[in-house]
Amino acid sequence: MSEIERVIEECIECNICVENCEFLKRVCETPRELAERFNSGYFREKPEVPYSCNLCNLCGELCPVDLNIGRMCLETRQQMVKEGLGPLPAHKKFVEKEQERVFSDSFTLSLPDPAAKECHRAFFPGCMLSGYSPFLVVKTYDYLRKNLPGTGIILGCCGSPTHELGEEAKFQEMLSQLNSKMRKLGASEMILACPYCYYTLKDQTLQFKLKSLYEVMTEVGLPGGLKQREWTFSLHDSCKARWEGNLQDSVRSLVSRMGYRIEEMEYSRDKTHCCGAGGAIACADFDLAISVTNKRAAAAPFDILTYCATCRETLAREKPAIHILDLIFNPDWEKDRLKPPNRASIRRENQSLLKSQLEGRK
């Protein structure tokens, strides 16, 4: 049974999801109403509506009968792609072109640990962290190689934007490429820095195991010589880590070990709210995306701490924000927390720079 059919049959119209979702507030009175409209082909008249959901899964967490409107919107996007109605023109102009680039030779790279005979695992920083800070990627990779010899690195994208646009066939091709790269390295485990990547890959058919970077760092230990500073952060949990309790705990443990304080936001952990970037909704409803971001930033009384580069770059438009890896490896993080998000052109330059830096170490 599709999620549309489930919502039509099982929704009890308690409207808890509508009350907690900016998207649903704008498009329907009840989830059943929206499902019935999708079922009757409403998306053909209003193709932007299914593409205006953040796919953050908060509705699935709150629903007393376990319905998920995000899953319903993703199914509808996939149907639109089959009918040639999706993705939207703005997605093709921005998201698809960016996906082509991060899967091109200008960024992709696979390297074993040059100091080890065998490659047991691979570090996968993801495209957004690479575009945010090549410095942090290199420092993190050096840390992993020192503490876990036999760690290689793969630069690329997990394919989440393609998956979220509903282009499932393309996404499966991307997964096949990732499996091939891991197989060529001989690695059986992937260490992921990005919760978006972890979420995207964890339910797919993979030939290797996944582990969060922050769980690894909790087990291995922080690098020595960290300078402790008095600081309190509002910790923003990525919506893609909503059901990853071990990941959430690891981040909090690392922050505590560094001597910083965390002020938990009202909506955190499994009840966290999206930063506004999820689902590529800015291409469908820019005003909605800005509204979601503004609301999330306004809920943080202190500087925002993230463990997702996309969240950092999105929330930094409205409030001082920093990535947890900055606290560990960046001595200038106090200044850099005030930096605006990188423009797309700067992200691309950073991704290419990172590749050339790593290639220079061969």
Side-chain angles (χ1 to χ4, degrees), residues 1 35 47 86 94 167 212 226 234 288 293 320:
M1 181 184 294
F94 298 108
E167 298 181 303
S212 162
L226 293 182
S234 293
L288 174 60
T293 299

Side-chain angles (χ1 to χ4, degrees), residues 217-233:
M217 297 185 87
T218 301
E219 295 170 1
V220 172
L222 289 163
L226 293 182
K227 180 182 177 181
Q228 291 194 358
R229 314 179 199 189
E230 290 288 328
W231 216 280
T232 300
F233 294 99

Side-chain angles (χ1 to χ4, degrees), residues 138-156:
V138 171
K139 295 294 286 187
T140 303
Y141 183 43
D142 287 344
Y143 160 89
L144 290 172
R145 286 181 55 212
K146 178 182 177 181
N147 290 280
L148 297 171
T151 299
I153 189 167
I154 295 177
L155 299 185

Side-chain angles (χ1 to χ4, degrees), residues 242-269:
R242 185 178 306 285
W243 292 300
E244 303 302 330
N246 289 338
L247 170 54
Q248 296 166 5
D249 290 342
S250 296
V251 168
R252 285 161 172 80
S253 175
L254 291 171
V255 175
S256 176
R257 292 182 196 181
M258 287 186 282
Y260 301 110
R261 294 188 299 274
I262 291 174
E263 179 77 15
E264 293 286 356
M265 298 179 70
E266 180 180 2
Y267 299 101
S268 63
R269 291 187 178 267

